[in-house]
Amino acid sequence: MATTIFVLNGPNLNLLGTREPEIYGRDTLADIDARLAARAEELGVAVDCRQSNHEGDLVDWLHEARATGAKAVLLNAGAYTHTSVALHDAIKAIQLPVIEVHLSNPHTREEFRHKSYIGMAAKGTVAGFGAKSYLIALDAALIL
Ligand SMILES: O=C(O)[C@]1(O)C=C(c2cccc(Sc3ccccc3)c2)[C@@H](O)[C@H](O)C1
């Protein structure tokens, strides 16, 4: 059975590439997904890339990662990073390595972005490298 990495993206990331390129870069989420698929092929693994604006979908997909035997999850929860106890608890519950991913570095931004409920439960965090944050996290997931 192929090694699969779930890549989960939260609210508004479907609009990526349209505004604030100085913060989030010019790649669309489709661009990022394509770069991940290409890197995954080089590494001999599969990526399952999904995006939702709904917190419950992300919780369900974390459960699905566990149920389907995924090796790890890359999670950019967007604004839910700073609010979601539900995602924090789901990460704890599934007992899989979850790597928190951010395009920007939230610690250099507004105060409200400095708290991460995701980071408090994740294996680790990659932030501030734009689209490359995802590629770095994918490589990290495979050496865990
Ligand atoms: O840096 C990130 O990846 C982050 O997870 C992403 C976020 C985010 C917030 C709003 C929109 C978007 S994506 C976007 C950006 C510009 C225009 C349209 C959508 C991402 C923030 O909520 C987080 O604090 C940080």
Side-chain angles (χ1 to χ4, degrees):
M1 186 170 87
T3 298
T4 301
I5 308 292
F6 272 44
V7 182
L8 305 180
N9 285 288
N12 300 304
L13 287 156
N14 54 303
L15 302 177
L16 206 54
T18 60
R19 286 181 20 249
E20 297 181 289
E22 70 282 1
I23 298 174
Y24 299 108
R26 297 188 184 281
D27 287 300
T28 65
L29 198 55
D31 294 332
I32 292 171
D33 290 350
R35 291 174 70 173
L36 282 167
R39 181 60 178 153
E41 186 170 9
E42 290 173 359
L43 296 166
V45 300
V47 286
D48 186 338
C49 299
R50 308 182 191 187
Q51 183 278 333
S52 178
N53 296 324
H54 307 286
E55 189 178 16
D57 285 344
L58 297 167
V59 170
D60 290 345
W61 290 342
L62 285 167
H63 295 176
E64 184 181 340
R66 169 77 177 187
T68 58
K71 176 176 173 59
V73 179
L74 311 188
L75 173 61
N76 184 344
Y80 290 144
T81 301
H82 316 297
T83 62
S84 180
V85 176
L87 285 170
H88 172 97
D89 290 348
I91 293 167
K92 292 277 194 176
I94 64 173
Q95 296 178 309
L96 271 184
V98 175
I99 299 176
E100 177 186 27
V101 179
H102 295 291
L103 295 151
S104 69
N105 181 353
H107 294 293
T108 66
R109 302 178 63 195
E110 303 95 328
E111 179 71 28
F112 71 85
R113 299 188 197 272
H114 295 178
K115 183 174 183 68
S116 171
Y117 287 94
I118 307 307
M120 292 165 68
K123 178 73 175 175
T125 298
V126 180
F129 300 99
K132 288 178 182 168
S133 292
Y134 291 84
L135 296 169
I136 294 164
L138 178 58
D139 279 44
L142 296 175
I143 59 174
L144 294 179

Coordinates of all heavy atoms in Angstrom, one line a residue, residues 64-114:
E64 N -10.2 10.8 9.0 CA -10.0 10.0 7.8 C -8.6 9.6 7.6 O -8.3 8.5 7.2 CB -10.6 10.7 6.6 CG -10.6 9.8 5.4 CD -11.2 10.6 4.1 OE1 -11.9 11.6 4.3 OE2 -10.9 10.1 3.0
A65 N -7.7 10.5 7.9 CA -6.3 10.2 7.7 C -5.9 9.1 8.6 O -5.2 8.1 8.2 CB -5.4 11.5 8.1
R66 N -6.4 9.1 9.8 CA -6.1 8.0 10.8 C -6.7 6.7 10.3 O -6.1 5.6 10.2 CB -6.7 8.3 12.1 CG -6.7 7.2 13.1 CD -5.4 6.9 13.7 NE -5.4 5.9 14.7 CZ -4.4 5.6 15.5 NH1 -3.2 6.2 15.4 NH2 -4.5 4.6 16.4
A67 N -8.0 6.8 9.9 CA -8.8 5.6 9.5 C -8.2 4.9 8.2 O -8.4 3.7 8.1 CB -10.2 6.0 9.3
T68 N -7.6 5.7 7.4 CA -7.1 5.2 6.1 C -5.6 4.8 6.1 O -5.1 4.5 5.1 CB -7.4 6.2 5.0 OG1 -6.7 7.4 5.3 CG2 -8.9 6.4 4.8
G69 N -5.0 5.0 7.3 CA -3.6 4.6 7.4 C -2.6 5.6 6.8 O -1.5 5.2 6.4
A70 N -3.0 6.8 6.7 CA -2.0 7.8 6.3 C -0.8 7.9 7.2 O -0.9 7.6 8.4 CB -2.7 9.2 6.2
K71 N 0.4 8.3 6.6 CA 1.6 8.3 7.4 C 1.7 9.6 8.3 O 2.2 9.6 9.4 CB 2.8 8.3 6.5 CG 4.2 8.4 7.2 CD 5.3 8.2 6.3 CE 6.7 8.6 7.0 NZ 7.0 7.7 8.2
A72 N 1.2 10.7 7.7 CA 1.2 12.0 8.4 C 0.2 12.9 7.7 O -0.3 12.6 6.7 CB 2.6 12.5 8.3
V73 N 0.1 14.1 8.4 CA -0.8 15.1 7.9 C 0.0 16.4 7.9 O 0.6 16.7 8.9 CB -2.1 15.3 8.8 CG1 -3.0 16.4 8.2 CG2 -2.9 14.0 8.8
L74 N -0.1 17.2 6.8 CA 0.3 18.6 6.8 C -0.9 19.4 6.9 O -1.9 19.2 6.1 CB 1.0 18.9 5.5 CG 2.2 18.0 5.0 CD1 2.9 18.6 3.8 CD2 3.1 17.6 6.1
L75 N -1.0 20.3 7.9 CA -2.2 21.1 8.1 C -1.9 22.6 8.2 O -1.2 23.1 9.0 CB -2.8 20.7 9.4 CG -4.0 21.5 9.9 CD1 -5.2 21.5 9.0 CD2 -4.4 21.0 11.3
N76 N -2.5 23.3 7.2 CA -2.5 24.8 7.3 C -4.0 25.2 7.6 O -4.8 25.2 6.7 CB -2.1 25.5 6.0 CG -2.0 27.0 6.1 OD1 -2.6 27.5 7.0 ND2 -1.4 27.7 5.2
A77 N -4.2 25.4 8.8 CA -5.6 25.6 9.3 C -6.1 27.1 9.1 O -7.2 27.4 9.5 CB -5.8 25.2 10.8
G78 N -5.2 27.9 8.5 CA -5.6 29.3 8.2 C -6.0 29.9 9.6 O -5.3 29.7 10.6
A79 N -7.1 30.7 9.5 CA -7.5 31.4 10.8 C -7.9 30.5 11.9 O -7.8 30.9 13.1 CB -8.6 32.4 10.4
Y80 N -8.3 29.3 11.6 CA -8.7 28.3 12.6 C -7.4 28.0 13.5 O -7.6 27.5 14.6 CB -9.2 27.0 12.1 CG -10.6 27.2 11.4 CD1 -11.0 26.4 10.3 CD2 -11.6 28.0 12.0 CE1 -12.2 26.5 9.7 CE2 -12.8 28.1 11.4 CZ -13.1 27.4 10.3 OH -14.4 27.5 9.7
T81 N -6.2 28.3 13.0 CA -5.0 28.1 13.8 C -5.1 28.7 15.1 O -4.7 28.2 16.1 CB -3.8 28.7 13.0 OG1 -3.7 28.1 11.7 CG2 -2.5 28.6 13.8
H82 N -5.8 29.9 15.1 CA -5.7 30.8 16.3 C -7.0 30.6 17.2 O -7.1 31.4 18.2 CB -5.6 32.2 15.8 CG -4.5 32.4 14.8 ND1 -3.2 32.1 15.0 CD2 -4.6 32.7 13.5 CE1 -2.5 32.3 13.9 NE2 -3.4 32.6 12.9
T83 N -7.9 29.7 16.8 CA -9.2 29.7 17.5 C -9.6 28.2 17.8 O -10.5 28.1 18.7 CB -10.3 30.3 16.6 OG1 -10.4 29.5 15.4 CG2 -10.0 31.7 16.3
S84 N -9.2 27.2 17.1 CA -9.8 25.9 17.1 C -9.3 24.9 18.1 O -8.4 24.2 17.9 CB -9.8 25.3 15.7 OG -10.5 24.1 15.7
V85 N -10.1 24.8 19.2 CA -9.8 23.7 20.2 C -10.3 22.4 19.6 O -9.6 21.4 19.8 CB -10.6 24.0 21.5 CG1 -10.4 22.9 22.5 CG2 -10.1 25.3 22.1
A86 N -11.2 22.5 18.7 CA -11.7 21.2 18.1 C -10.6 20.6 17.2 O -10.4 19.4 17.3 CB -12.9 21.5 17.2
L87 N -9.9 21.4 16.4 CA -8.8 20.9 15.6 C -7.6 20.4 16.5 O -7.0 19.4 16.3 CB -8.3 21.9 14.6 CG -9.3 22.1 13.4 CD1 -8.8 23.3 12.6 CD2 -9.3 20.9 12.5
H88 N -7.4 21.2 17.6 CA -6.3 20.8 18.6 C -6.7 19.4 19.1 O -5.8 18.5 19.1 CB -6.3 21.8 19.7 CG -5.5 21.4 20.9 ND1 -4.2 21.9 21.0 CD2 -5.7 20.6 21.9 CE1 -3.7 21.3 22.1 NE2 -4.6 20.6 22.7
D89 N -7.9 19.2 19.5 CA -8.3 17.9 20.1 C -8.2 16.8 19.1 O -7.8 15.7 19.4 CB -9.7 18.0 20.7 CG -9.8 18.9 22.0 OD1 -8.7 19.2 22.5 OD2 -10.9 19.2 22.4
A90 N -8.6 17.1 17.8 CA -8.6 16.1 16.8 C -7.2 15.6 16.5 O -6.9 14.4 16.3 CB -9.2 16.6 15.5
I91 N -6.2 16.6 16.5 CA -4.8 16.2 16.3 C -4.3 15.3 17.4 O -3.7 14.3 17.2 CB -4.0 17.5 16.2 CG1 -4.3 18.3 15.0 CG2 -2.5 17.2 16.3 CD1 -3.7 19.7 15.0
K92 N -4.7 15.7 18.7 CA -4.3 14.8 19.8 C -5.0 13.4 19.7 O -4.3 12.4 20.0 CB -4.8 15.5 21.1 CG -4.1 16.7 21.5 CD -2.8 16.5 22.1 CE -2.2 17.7 22.8 NZ -1.0 17.5 23.6
A93 N -6.2 13.4 19.2 CA -7.0 12.1 19.2 C -6.5 11.1 18.2 O -6.5 9.9 18.4 CB -8.4 12.4 18.9
I94 N -6.0 11.6 17.0 CA -5.7 10.7 15.9 C -4.3 10.0 16.1 O -4.0 9.0 15.4 CB -5.8 11.3 14.5 CG1 -4.7 12.5 14.4 CG2 -7.2 11.8 14.3 CD1 -4.7 13.0 13.0
Q95 N -3.4 10.6 17.0 CA -2.2 9.9 17.3 C -1.3 9.7 16.0 O -0.7 8.6 15.8 CB -2.4 8.6 18.0 CG -3.0 8.9 19.4 CD -3.2 7.6 20.2 OE1 -3.8 6.7 19.7 NE2 -2.7 7.5 21.4
L96 N -1.4 10.6 15.0 CA -0.6 10.6 13.8 C 0.3 11.9 13.9 O -0.1 12.9 14.4 CB -1.5 10.7 12.6 CG -2.1 9.5 11.9 CD1 -2.8 9.9 10.7 CD2 -1.0 8.5 11.5
P97 N 1.5 11.8 13.2 CA 2.2 13.0 13.1 C 1.5 14.1 12.3 O 1.2 13.8 11.1 CB 3.5 12.6 12.4 CG 3.6 11.1 12.5 CD 2.1 10.7 12.6
V98 N 1.2 15.2 12.9 CA 0.6 16.4 12.2 C 1.7 17.5 12.2 O 2.2 17.9 13.2 CB -0.7 16.8 12.8 CG1 -1.2 18.1 12.1 CG2 -1.7 15.7 12.7
I99 N 2.0 18.0 11.0 CA 2.9 19.1 10.9 C 2.1 20.4 10.5 O 1.4 20.4 9.5 CB 4.0 18.8 9.8 CG1 4.8 17.6 10.2 CG2 4.9 20.1 9.6 CD1 5.9 17.2 9.2
E100 N 2.2 21.4 11.4 CA 1.6 22.6 11.2 C 2.3 23.4 10.1 O 3.6 23.5 10.1 CB 1.6 23.5 12.4 CG 1.0 24.8 12.3 CD 1.1 25.6 13.6 OE1 2.1 25.4 14.4 OE2 0.2 26.5 13.8
V101 N 1.6 23.9 9.1 CA 2.2 24.7 8.0 C 1.6 26.1 7.9 O 0.4 26.2 8.0 CB 2.0 23.9 6.6 CG1 2.6 24.7 5.5 CG2 2.6 22.5 6.7
H102 N 2.4 27.0 7.6 CA 2.0 28.4 7.3 C 2.8 29.0 6.2 O 4.1 28.8 6.2 CB 2.1 29.3 8.6 CG 1.2 28.9 9.7 ND1 -0.2 29.0 9.6 CD2 1.5 28.3 10.9 CE1 -0.7 28.5 10.8 NE2 0.3 28.1 11.6
L103 N 2.2 29.7 5.3 CA 2.9 30.5 4.3 C 3.6 31.6 4.9 O 4.8 31.8 4.6 CB 1.9 31.0 3.3 CG 1.1 30.0 2.5 CD1 -0.3 30.5 2.1 CD2 1.9 29.5 1.2
S104 N 3.0 32.3 5.8 CA 3.6 33.5 6.5 C 4.2 33.0 7.8 O 4.0 31.8 8.2 CB 2.6 34.6 6.8 OG 1.6 34.1 7.7
N105 N 4.9 33.9 8.5 CA 5.3 33.6 9.9 C 4.4 34.4 10.8 O 4.6 35.6 11.1 CB 6.7 34.0 10.1 CG 7.2 33.7 11.5 OD1 6.4 33.2 12.4 ND2 8.5 33.9 11.8
P106 N 3.4 33.7 11.4 CA 2.4 34.4 12.2 C 3.0 35.1 13.4 O 2.5 36.1 13.9 CB 1.5 33.3 12.7 CG 1.6 32.2 11.7 CD 3.0 32.3 11.2
H107 N 4.2 34.7 13.8 CA 4.8 35.4 15.0 C 5.4 36.8 14.7 O 5.7 37.6 15.6 CB 6.0 34.5 15.5 CG 5.5 33.2 16.1 ND1 4.7 33.2 17.3 CD2 5.6 31.9 15.7 CE1 4.4 31.9 17.5 NE2 4.9 31.1 16.6
T108 N 5.4 37.1 13.4 CA 5.9 38.4 13.0 C 4.7 39.3 12.6 O 4.9 40.5 12.2 CB 6.8 38.3 11.7 OG1 6.0 37.8 10.6 CG2 7.9 37.4 12.0
R109 N 3.5 38.8 12.9 CA 2.3 39.6 12.4 C 1.5 40.0 13.6 O 2.0 40.1 14.8 CB 1.5 38.7 11.5 CG 2.3 38.3 10.2 CD 1.5 37.4 9.3 NE 0.4 38.1 8.8 CZ -0.6 37.4 8.2 NH1 -0.6 36.1 8.0 NH2 -1.6 38.1 7.7
E110 N 0.2 40.2 13.5 CA -0.6 40.8 14.5 C -0.6 39.8 15.7 O -0.5 38.6 15.6 CB -2.1 40.9 14.1 CG -2.3 41.7 12.8 CD -2.3 40.8 11.5 OE1 -1.6 39.8 11.5 OE2 -3.0 41.2 10.6
E111 N -0.8 40.4 16.9 CA -0.7 39.7 18.2 C -1.7 38.5 18.2 O -1.3 37.4 18.7 CB -1.1 40.6 19.4 CG -1.1 40.0 20.7 CD 0.3 39.6 21.2 OE1 1.2 40.3 20.8 OE2 0.4 38.7 22.0
F112 N -2.9 38.6 17.6 CA -3.9 37.5 17.7 C -3.4 36.3 16.9 O -3.9 35.2 17.1 CB -5.2 38.0 17.2 CG -5.4 38.3 15.8 CD1 -5.7 37.3 14.9 CD2 -5.2 39.6 15.3 CE1 -5.8 37.5 13.5 CE2 -5.4 39.9 13.9 CZ -5.6 38.8 13.0
R113 N -2.4 36.5 16.0 CA -1.9 35.4 15.2 C -0.8 34.6 16.0 O -0.2 33.7 15.5 CB -1.4 35.8 13.9 CG -2.5 36.4 13.0 CD -2.0 36.7 11.6 NE -2.9 37.6 10.9 CZ -4.0 37.2 10.2 NH1 -4.3 35.9 10.1 NH2 -4.7 38.1 9.6
H114 N -0.4 35.1 17.1 CA 0.8 34.6 17.8 C 0.4 33.3 18.6 O 1.3 32.5 18.9 CB 1.4 35.6 18.8 CG 2.0 36.8 18.1 ND1 2.5 37.8 18.8 CD2 2.1 37.1 16.8 CE1 3.0 38.7 17.9 NE2 2.7 38.3 16.7

